[in-house]
Amino acid sequence: MKNKFFAGIAIVIFAVVMSGCSKVPQAEIDAANTAIANAKAAGADVYASENFIALKDSMNNVMINIESQKSKFFKSFSDEKELLAGISSYAAEVEKEAEMKKEELKVNIQKTLSEISTLIASNHSLVLEAPKGKEGTSALQAIKSEISALESAVNEVVTLNDNGEYMSAMDKASAIKEKATALQEELSGVIAKYKANTKTKK
Amino acid sequence: MRSRGIILLTLLFISSMAIVILLVSKKTDPKEEMLQASKKLSEARLEKAPKYAEGLFGIALNYYDSSLAEWQHQNSRFILFRDYERSVQLARESCIFSEKSIQRARLNLSKEEGSLDEKIVAVGQAIVSFDDRFGRFPLRYEHWDKIAKCRIQYTEAKIAYKNGKYAEARTKLEKAETTILQISGYYEELLRKYLEGFPAWNSMVNQGIAGSKSGKNYVVIVDKLDRNLWIYKDGKVARQFSIELGSNWIGDKVQQGDKTTPEGIYKIVEKKQNGHTRFYKACLLNYPNKEDQKRFEENKKSGMLDEHAKIGNLIEIHGQGGKGVDWTNGCIALNDRDMDVLFKLCPVGTKVIIVGSTKSYNEISSQ
């Protein structure tokens, strides 16, 4: 009877001691932080910003839970370990999302640049169609300057793209495309009007 | 006796442990407050408080960090001596400031959106107004380049605004605005100086209109700035036509090849049609007249013009206009239908008065 009593006491003391000594899951915390840092390095804060904020929020909450466990007499970090593992895999997903978004942007930038190139080539051809001689091309100087400005803006897009600033590159490319399209319409309009008036005379 | 002592000690230990557990469990940690504070900070981030309510958000973040640090500090103490009250308070303060930062960010963001909306409209209007006022001015090459870049910046700004990148939108709008205002200022001054000739032009025009009254002849008046040609008869406007000029139309003609339309009082000296002109029909003017020749010689003597410079000739009012651009070498172009009318109404000898403008700078500016 006595032995059983002492064994029970020993178990209680062991349990208490074991609980009190439960270790903070530092390896899992480090792994989650590394995964978050990797996601950020992949540009998740820019290209998957909403999920990246959610990811950081989850990490903050887990750290709060861990601190809360540290406040307890009987500590248990098993739930937090699971959460941290979840965060690590979530971070990997966010990283992948950012990479995908970047790839998507790269493709769109190239597509837009190609469209711009076609538009600029078309604008150059239209300028060549413009009347020569006395009815000189000087009147088209504005349009020529705009084409030239568009061409140098395209170089800026390429630089932004090469520097990995895909969002800015895409925005700039969109603006150039919009302007090049407007220019093509303007130029076609001017030439059509010019030709129409020349034909009337003949 | 010995075993009774051991039992007593064990019971004492267990009782102490029970008391400790009881005391510890009564102490509530700041978990709920910290979770709440973390949630609020997250909300504030989504509301762009770090950018639009930087100060308040910074305070909220400091409170949060301090609360966590205090909590960690308390956890490092012996379990019985822990006190989370300060940590709880700090977390609550963080919540309060996060909420304040959210309100401030919303307000500032709304102000920023409003202000950007206004700026987009203002810069757009400045560009349109430049086009309206100076679109047909002979602009300098570097200005064409700057204006082209300015237009692209403006489009980029609108796209950045649409994508919620307000800081980028503002920077680009400010650059575009600076460019367009600078260039507009340059041409405004050029226009002002050009229109200093208005009193003399006005006197020439009045003289011409009066001449059309007394002599019962047609008088042609050309306003270069407005691109208008009026045919006067009996002191009244009989017809009004739109015209096109030389690409470098501003100012008086100085020499051959300057693509400028001369200013002064001329007359029709020859009428051409049926293959005698490339431009449908044409009325040749007596440019250069005596005054033009005198000024040309003076300019050559003063060194303003090269000694081999030529004065130019063959300034006409001719057809084939209506192209929407200034394309002649200094002639005045009308569309063929209008040329028919002018050709029919105005015989050889008809006075043609060409002026920079029939309006003063003040009149033009108040339009």
Side-chain angles (χ1 to χ4, degrees), chain A residues 19-181:
Chain A
S19 298
C21 292
S22 187
K23 291 276 180 195
V24 170
Q26 197 54 50
E28 287 82 355
I29 293 173
D30 292 343
N33 277 330
T34 306
I36 292 172
N38 289 344
K40 192 177 180 188
D45 53 338
V46 177
Y47 301 102
S49 58
E50 279 185 25
N51 277 334
F52 187 73
I53 289 175
L55 180 67
K56 287 197 82 175
D57 285 346
S58 303
M59 188 64 193
N60 284 343
N61 290 349
V62 171
M63 292 311 290
I64 288 169
N65 284 340
I66 287 171
E67 209 53 46
S68 181
Q69 285 301 325
K70 280 160 73 180
S71 304
K72 288 177 182 169
F73 192 83
F74 296 108
K75 299 174 179 62
S76 167
F77 294 105
S78 53
D79 288 350
E80 284 69 29
K81 277 184 186 173
E82 263 182 53
L83 287 170
L84 286 166
I87 285 174
S88 292
S89 64
Y90 182 29
E93 277 174 36
V94 174
E95 184 183 342
K96 205 186 280 179
E97 184 194 338
E99 293 291 0
M100 274 170 64
K101 178 81 183 170
K102 279 200 286 186
E103 285 308 312
E104 201 180 296
L105 274 170
K106 280 187 208 172
V107 169
N108 283 338
I109 290 165
Q110 290 312 317
K111 191 178 159 224
T112 311
L113 280 176
S114 158
E115 287 166 349
I116 292 169
S117 170
T118 309
L119 281 166
I120 288 179
S122 155
N123 286 340
H124 275 304
S125 306
L126 287 170
V127 165
L128 289 176
E129 272 183 45
K132 302 279 186 302
K134 180 176 178 180
E135 302 162 3
T137 48
S138 56
L140 297 166
Q141 187 58 56
I143 286 172
K144 279 185 180 175
S145 298
E146 293 212 23
I147 295 173
S148 155
L150 287 176
E151 282 169 335
S152 58
V154 165
N155 294 334
E156 288 170 35
V157 173
V158 172
T159 308
L160 286 168
N161 190 54
D162 291 347
N163 292 342
E165 293 173 55
Y166 303 115
M167 287 279 204
S168 304
M170 189 65 229
D171 286 351
K172 202 168 188 75
S174 302
I176 297 169
K177 188 184 159 190
E178 196 177 309
K179 198 69 216 154
T181 308

Side-chain angles (χ1 to χ4, degrees), chain B residues 204-245:
Chain B
M204 277 155 57
V205 168
N206 288 336
Q207 196 189 322
I209 294 171
S212 81
K213 268 184 204 168
S214 56
K216 297 206 171 181
N217 294 322
Y218 286 101
V219 171
V220 175
I221 291 174
V222 174
D223 182 330
K224 286 168 67 176
L225 185 67
D226 264 357
R227 304 292 195 287
N228 270 322
L229 181 151
W230 294 276
I231 301 177
Y232 273 84
K233 172 83 174 166
D234 294 331
K236 288 177 188 163
V237 175
R239 302 305 284 255
Q240 179 183 348
F241 305 128
S242 290
I243 56 166
E244 284 149 11
L245 301 169

Side-chain angles (χ1 to χ4, degrees), chain B residues 296-307:
Chain B
F296 178 75
E297 290 307 325
E298 281 170 3
N299 286 341
K300 268 177 102 170
K301 271 183 200 162
S302 70
M304 194 189 119
L305 288 174
D306 187 84
E307 58 176 319

Side-chain angles (χ1 to χ4, degrees), chain A residues 2 5-6 9 13 16 50 53 57 60-61 63-65 67-75 133-136 138-139 141-142 145-146 148-150 152-153 167-168 171-172 174-176 178-179 190 193-194 197-198 200-201, chain B residues 3 6 10 13-14 17 20-21 24 29 31 34-35 38 42 45-46 64 71-72 75 79 82 84 141 144-145 148-149 151-152 155-156 159 163 165 172 247 278-280 318 320-329 331 336:
Chain A
K2 244 185 219 175
F5 176 75
F6 283 124
I9 296 297
I13 291 169
V16 167
E50 279 185 25
I53 289 175
D57 285 346
N60 284 343
N61 290 349
M63 292 311 290
I64 288 169
N65 284 340
E67 209 53 46
S68 181
Q69 285 301 325
K70 280 160 73 180
S71 304
K72 288 177 182 169
F73 192 83
F74 296 108
K75 299 174 179 62
K134 180 176 178 180
E135 302 162 3
S138 56
Q141 187 58 56
S145 298
E146 293 212 23
S148 155
L150 287 176
S152 58
M167 287 279 204
S168 304
D171 286 351
K172 202 168 188 75
S174 302
I176 297 169
E178 196 177 309
K179 198 69 216 154
V190 167
K193 194 177 175 188
Y194 205 102
N197 276 289
T198 307
T200 315
K201 181 249 166 191
Chain B
S3 61
I6 292 170
T10 310
F13 176 74
I14 292 168
M17 290 299 286
V20 167
I21 291 166
V24 170
D29 69 16
K31 181 183 172 183
M34 283 298 284
L35 285 173
S38 169
S42 184
R45 279 193 188 95
L46 288 171
Y64 180 85
W71 192 5
Q72 286 165 340
N75 281 347
I79 199 158
R82 291 177 189 172
Y84 299 115
Y141 182 78
W144 282 123
D145 192 45
K149 281 179 182 152
R151 286 182 209 277
I152 293 171
T155 312
E156 281 180 45
I159 288 174
N163 293 341
K165 295 177 183 172
K172 288 186 187 293
S247 53
R278 287 198 292 136
F279 303 103
Y280 181 55
H318 60 57
Q320 277 197 16
K323 300 179 199 303
V325 289
D326 290 315
W327 55 276
T328 74
N329 275 346
C331 292
D336 293 348

Side-chain angles (χ1 to χ4, degrees), chain B residues 131-139 191 194 221-230 240-251 259 261 322 324-328 331-335 338 354-359 364:
Chain B
D131 288 342
D132 286 348
R133 204 164 171 85
F134 306 114
R136 291 180 76 168
F137 260 56
L139 303 189
L191 177 66
Y194 180 51
I221 291 174
V222 174
D223 182 330
K224 286 168 67 176
L225 185 67
D226 264 357
R227 304 292 195 287
N228 270 322
L229 181 151
W230 294 276
Q240 179 183 348
F241 305 128
S242 290
I243 56 166
E244 284 149 11
L245 301 169
S247 53
N248 189 32
W249 59 269
I250 200 162
K259 292 183 188 289
T261 305
V325 289
D326 290 315
W327 55 276
T328 74
C331 292
I332 297 152
L334 273 70
N335 71 41
D338 295 342
I354 306 172
V355 296
S357 175
T358 52
K359 292 184 192 115
I364 288 166

